[in-house]
Amino acid sequence: MSGKLTAKQAEHAKPGKHGDGNGLTLLVQPSGARSWVVRYRDAEGKRRDKGIGGYPAVSLSEARKTAEAIHAASAAPEPEAAPEPMTFSEAARMVCGTLEAKWRDPLGEGRAFRRSLELHAGPLMAKPCNAITRADVLDVLLPIWNDKPATAQRVRQRVKLIMSTVMAYDETMLSNPAGEGIDGVLRSWTGRRTVAHHRAVAAHEVAEVLDIVSRGATTKAVSLCLRFLVLTAARSKEAREARWAEMDVDGRCWLLPPERTKQGTAHRVPLSDAAVDVLIAAKGLDDGSGYVFPSPNRTSAAVGRPLGDSTLRKALSENAIEGTVHGFRSTFRDWALKQPGVSFEAAERALAHTIGTTVTAAYLRDDLFAERAVLMAAWADYVGR
């Protein structure tokens, strides 16, 4: 876009940089967020960039006036103090905001994004981005590089993304401290890794575990949710955030929409009689939020929200149960594959796993719902013995 901007162009400009002249530029993020930046030279002749606010909060005419004032002030004998450099924490919030439009669950994924950095990159948070070195990044990665490899890789990717974004605006930063410059150290630090599997309760112990949790100090919502998760072989988040709108009790089907599944495709879950009984019992928990298992916490932050991600895990640990919530899926799979007449495909479909390559999956259009309904009824009978 060349020449002077119009208000209409500013409002509808596509992602990118759009100059208005006199050093004034409108930056449009992929998310649609718009902000003004003024490029000027200070009293020493050094080129500087300064953000002056977002559009439309700062109108086109206001931005032009501010740009003129900045140029006038920079030419004065007493130059304006350089703006404070952006800290890593501020940059993380900015990047998180731009990613929200891409996330299927902006609230949950945003919380996870920030929390992982707070937990594992805490020493970087208060530092100016242009002062963060490779040594600083290695200091936060090396302690978890072998013990928590997946977490360490995720943290590195997020730090690298944040620093790359800052580099786009700060031309004094010549390299990314989380980039390939630290690959050699990380490779030399990498030890022999063992695959950590989720601890699983044995199939013959599942009934007893559910009974222990139901008789324990846990809330009714947590107890029912855990039982529903086991009976449907669902993932924790899928069960905790189950909606009444997804349930077809008469048709004995729980329909998970694409945005609620790991694979990003709709998934039908057969409901056994035992699973329907759980839903009937959960009706007494209905708080109008639409969630089947709403949080029993009555704080303002929890009202109208589903169960938190730690609630089921705590129900097991507080009852001294050796096993993880995700491990129940492994328990179900091991049990299912030992049952006569149960196909590998049905067991995998029950877990909402992708079968084979994308080409193979294209030919497997039948989700084997009828076969899985028989399988889930047998599983409910086994668990309810």
Side-chain angles (χ1 to χ4, degrees):
M1 195 176 289
S2 60
K4 291 284 188 179
L5 292 172
T6 65
K8 185 174 182 180
Q9 288 173 330
E11 182 179 357
H12 299 288
K14 295 180 179 179
K17 298 180 179 180
H18 306 277
D20 183 63
N22 199 27
L24 179 63
T25 299
L26 177 66
L27 298 181
V28 182
Q29 301 289 349
S31 64
R34 290 163 161 73
S35 59
W36 296 107
V37 173
V38 177
R39 175 161 290 183
Y40 66 100
R41 291 190 181 277
D42 62 18
E44 297 178 0
K46 293 182 179 180
R47 190 167 63 183
R48 305 282 188 183
D49 287 340
K50 182 175 183 179
I52 59 172
Y55 179 89
V58 176
S59 69
L60 176 58
S61 61
E62 290 172 335
R64 287 171 177 166
K65 291 177 183 177
T66 303
E68 291 175 0
I70 289 174
H71 287 300
S74 65
E78 291 296 329
E80 184 178 308
E84 288 293 322
M86 184 179 292
T87 66
F88 184 80
S89 177
E90 292 169 339
R93 285 197 297 271
M94 177 181 73
V95 171
C96 195
T98 63
L99 291 174
E100 286 181 352
K102 300 179 181 179
W103 287 333
R104 288 187 295 173
D105 178 12
L107 185 63
E109 293 184 60
R111 187 187 303 116
F113 186 96
R114 293 187 297 272
R115 185 61 175 155
S116 69
L117 294 173
E118 291 167 358
L119 285 175
H120 303 294
L124 304 179
M125 301 304 279
K127 287 193 173 187
C129 290
N130 59 8
I132 294 175
T133 65
R134 294 173 183 170
D136 293 329
V137 176
L138 288 171
D139 283 345
V140 301
L141 292 180
L142 292 182
I144 59 173
W145 192 251
N146 284 319
D147 294 340
K148 300 177 180 179
T151 299
Q153 288 281 8
R154 192 178 303 115
V155 171
R156 183 194 180 182
Q157 290 168 359
R158 289 171 177 173
V159 173
K160 186 177 179 181
L161 173 62
I162 291 166
M163 297 305 292
S164 293
T165 303
V166 174
M167 287 174 65
Y169 298 100
D170 188 345
E171 296 182 9
T172 65
M173 295 177 61
L174 302 179
S175 65
N176 192 322
E180 60 185 22
I182 62 175
D183 284 349
V185 175
L186 295 177
R187 276 195 295 268
S188 67
W189 195 267
T190 300
R192 206 172 160 187
R193 296 174 183 166
T194 57
V195 178
H197 296 284
H198 294 283
R199 297 188 306 279
V201 173
H204 68 274
E205 297 176 335
V206 172
E208 182 181 2
V209 166
L210 294 178
D211 184 54
I212 290 172
V213 171
S214 67
R215 288 188 287 105
T218 188
T219 65
K220 184 178 180 181
V222 172
S223 175
L224 288 174
C225 183
L226 183 64
R227 184 175 293 274
F228 189 73
L229 175 147
V230 170
L231 291 170
T232 56
R235 293 182 172 88
S236 174
K237 186 175 182 179
E238 293 170 349
R240 288 184 292 100
E241 298 185 6
R243 278 85 160 169
W244 285 112
E246 299 167 352
M247 302 299 170
D248 179 4
V249 176
D250 292 337
R252 294 293 197 270
C253 178
W254 173 22
L255 178 59
L256 282 155
E259 63 271 17
R260 288 245 299 118
T261 67
K262 183 177 181 180
Q263 304 301 335
T265 56
H267 177 56
R268 293 196 300 168
V269 182
L271 295 176
S272 63
D273 289 344
V276 170
D277 288 342
V278 172
L279 293 177
I280 293 173
K283 274 293 185 183
L285 305 173
D286 194 352
D287 63 353
S289 65
Y291 290 108
V292 178
F293 308 107
S295 171
N297 193 332
R298 294 296 91 189
T299 63
S300 57
V303 171
R305 299 284 300 159
L307 291 174
D309 58 3
S310 65
T311 50
L312 302 185
R313 187 167 62 247
K314 286 177 63 177
L316 297 182
S317 63
E318 289 175 353
N319 286 285
I321 295 168
E322 291 292 328
T324 65
V325 177
H326 194 84
F328 285 112
R329 286 167 55 82
S330 298
T331 301
F332 166 78
R333 185 177 186 274
D334 292 343
W335 172 88
L337 292 177
K338 293 176 183 177
Q339 304 311 302
V342 175
S343 67
F344 170 81
E345 289 79 9
E348 291 296 286
R349 291 285 193 190
L351 294 166
H353 283 167
T354 299
I355 302 174
T357 64
T358 53
V359 175
T360 305
Y363 286 96
L364 295 174
R365 298 185 184 278
D366 185 359
D367 67 357
L368 306 178
F369 186 84
E371 183 178 346
R372 291 190 290 118
V374 174
L375 174 61
M376 301 314 291
W379 171 240
D381 289 343
Y382 181 84
V383 170
R385 293 182 309 170

